Amino acid sequence: MTPVNIPSAALDAAERLASKRFVYADNAASMPVTERALKAALPFFTEDFANPSAIHTMGMNAASALLSARKKIASALGAGPREIVFTSGGTESDNLAIRGAAALGARQGKRHIVTSAAEHHAVLNCCKALEAEGFTVTYLSPDREGIVTAGQVADAIGDSTCLVSIMTANNEIGTLMPVTETAAVCRERGVLFHTDAVQAVGHIPVDVNALGADLLSFSGHKFGAMKGVGGLYIREGISLPPLILGGPQERGRRAGTEPLPQIVSMSEALIGSLEDLEAKTLKMLAQRERLINALLSLPDCILNGSREHRLAGNVNLSFKGIESENLILMLDMYGISASGGSACASGTSEPSHVLTAIGTPPEYVKGSLRLSLSDKLSDEDIEYLIASVKASVEKLRGLPSNA
Ligand code: PLP
């Protein structure tokens, strides 16, 4: 990241000291591990720590806990336990799905993939690597709201298409994609449909059968489990070649000793996140709308993405004439954790590929701010966010380098 110097005069010292509030508004990057998830995982570190593949009693107890977690996760997604493969997270799940489907396609002489230009890098870089291996990839352009329609996908599918990969919800702008319609198109055309549902699982109801996905990626740390664990739903009957070779774990689809504490934490976090989901969503929706309305009153500020088809917890705004990093660092001084877009993209000063793909005016692309909420934030937190963003934007706009 390019070093950013915010002159200390930019932030009123007294104001900084007076503010003892901390507001975590980067939940799309990682959520805290819930108490329920942590409590359920703890015994598997110290007491029930055996390898689930071992045949002694302790091993069998571990295997039984693994099966129970698998059943809970599968049931929460409307899947069967045999259709869930545990992975190290969303990135690996996307790689397994895309590389696996590509390998299946290649066996039939099909080497064309359809995806969107606003996917996560876990999908995009996988597709780029496959291009270097002789595949062709169509990157569909989303509209201004970030939506890629089923019609666009239908038009892009050809005789050699082996996979369509379109995300369920965008990680930067929160846009909810019409994936059910897209899945139906793929089914009709006999093409595998993968969806990166990393930002959706635990936040909106996801049922693999209602959705019609063949492959669906999810990641624990996005809904209150530990980092380093995720999963891929693989529809029964699809035999994806493994990415990681070794032992026979996960029925030969992903080698390596299963991280039981993480997996248990993921099953409990998922169940917990789906409890009272409607009430939590309504609360976040009201807070999101309050934030958007209040911040749009600032001059030269736009909302990125869709107002209607949007995750309840996602706010993504751009401020003309402001560098996103400066705004995030200034908000950090107010005790606020926010992001410019995706966590993976922050740390680079590259303009967001998502904002570019949706046709954001260039003068707004570099000044984006993502506030991703959780149901734990109070209305006072929201008012504090509003006041801090307003103050930061005004201060940055007053600085010569941002003028
Ligand atoms: N896909 C999406 C949409 C994401 O938001 C993320 C993480 O930000 C990933 C994939 C990667 O997930 P993980 O961090 O578990 O590897």
Side-chain angles (χ1 to χ4, degrees):
M1 176 161 40
T2 27
V4 187
N5 283 322
I6 298 176
S8 54
L11 197 64
D12 185 76
E15 201 176 342
R16 209 181 322 164
L17 284 174
S19 121
K20 292 217 173 65
R21 194 180 272 272
F22 290 93
V23 179
Y24 184 75
D26 201 14
N27 289 280
S30 260
M31 293 189 73
V33 176
T34 64
E35 223 177 288
R36 173 180 183 157
L38 180 64
K39 219 169 137 192
L42 281 177
F44 296 96
F45 283 108
T46 49
E47 294 155 38
D48 304 319
F49 55 83
N51 190 315
S53 298
I55 59 165
H56 47 66
T57 304
M58 280 181 70
M60 285 192 292
N61 287 344
S64 144
L66 180 64
L67 179 61
S68 157
R70 193 186 303 281
K71 282 182 177 166
K72 287 179 188 172
I73 289 170
S75 153
L77 298 174
R82 291 160 64 92
E83 296 178 308
I84 302 295
V85 170
F86 292 124
T87 66
S88 64
T91 302
E92 187 189 324
S93 299
D94 286 344
N95 275 261
L96 175 60
I98 294 167
R99 283 211 160 265
L104 289 184
R107 283 182 206 163
Q108 302 175 303
K110 295 184 173 186
R111 293 175 172 270
H112 175 234
I113 294 169
V114 177
T115 187
S116 102
E119 295 292 312
H120 190 272
H121 281 116
V123 168
L124 290 178
N125 287 340
C126 215
C127 288
K128 290 218 174 85
L130 286 167
E131 280 184 289
E133 293 168 26
F135 283 77
T136 53
V137 181
T138 302
Y139 299 93
L140 296 172
S141 294
D143 66 13
R144 278 291 284 124
E145 296 199 334
I147 291 172
V148 170
T149 65
Q152 283 177 280
V153 171
D155 291 344
I157 292 177
D159 291 340
S160 62
T161 309
C162 58
L163 173 72
V164 169
S165 179
I166 301 286
M167 69 205 315
T168 308
N170 187 276
N171 48 303
E172 291 193 30
I173 55 175
T175 299
L176 295 167
M177 292 284 189
V179 279
T180 309
E181 290 82 346
T182 302
V185 163
C186 293
R187 178 78 38 101
E188 209 179 289
R189 303 284 290 273
V191 175
L192 287 181
F193 178 59
H194 165 247
T195 185
D196 175 340
V198 165
Q199 292 290 335
V201 168
H203 300 279
I204 60 170
V206 172
D207 181 300
V208 289
N209 289 311
L211 200 158
D214 297 307
L215 305 161
L216 182 143
S217 306
F218 56 95
S219 174
H221 72 111
K222 305 293 187 179
F223 53 82
M226 294 171 196
K227 291 171 187 63
V229 68
L232 180 68
Y233 159 77
I234 306 177
R235 184 174 293 283
E236 188 81 60
I238 300 172
S239 176
L240 282 194
L243 204 61
I244 295 175
L245 303 172
Q249 293 90 352
E250 299 297 297
R251 295 176 48 240
R253 294 173 296 178
R254 201 278 187 184
T257 301
E258 300 88 348
L260 197 48
Q262 285 91 324
I263 291 171
V264 168
S265 81
M266 184 160 70
S267 68
E268 292 305 316
L270 183 54
I271 294 170
S273 70
L274 298 177
E275 276 173 5
D276 305 318
L277 184 60
E278 204 177 319
K280 291 188 273 195
T281 302
L282 285 174
K283 178 187 171 189
M284 283 194 288
L285 264 178
Q287 293 183 334
R288 179 193 87 186
E289 288 304 292
R290 165 78 187 126
L291 263 168
I292 292 176
N293 287 333
L295 294 176
L296 279 180
S297 71
L298 284 167
D300 294 326
C301 168
I302 58 167
L303 176 70
N304 296 313
S306 170
R307 191 85 186 235
E308 191 190 345
H309 306 287
R310 187 179 201 103
L311 286 170
N314 178 287
V315 174
N316 189 314
L317 299 156
S318 276
F319 302 91
K320 188 172 161 184
I322 282 185
E323 293 277 339
S324 172
E325 282 104 331
N326 289 354
L327 182 53
I328 287 148
L329 291 178
M330 193 170 272
L331 286 173
D332 193 39
M333 292 196 232
Y334 281 96
I336 292 170
S337 304
S339 136
S342 68
C344 330
S346 48
T348 70
S349 45
E350 287 295 301
S352 151
H353 71 284
V354 175
L355 295 187
T356 306
I358 65 171
T360 308
E363 65 274 23
Y364 282 98
V365 171
K366 282 189 140 189
S368 66
L369 171 70
R370 181 185 71 182
L371 301 169
S372 44
L373 316 179
S374 79
D375 67 288
K376 300 289 180 294
L377 294 184
S378 66
D379 289 343
E380 290 74 40
D381 290 331
I382 300 298
E383 295 311 315
Y384 183 69
L385 280 174
I386 293 169
S388 308
V389 174
K390 281 188 170 175
S392 301
V393 168
E394 276 158 19
K395 279 174 183 152
L396 286 170
R397 282 190 171 147
L399 291 177
S401 60
N402 283 282

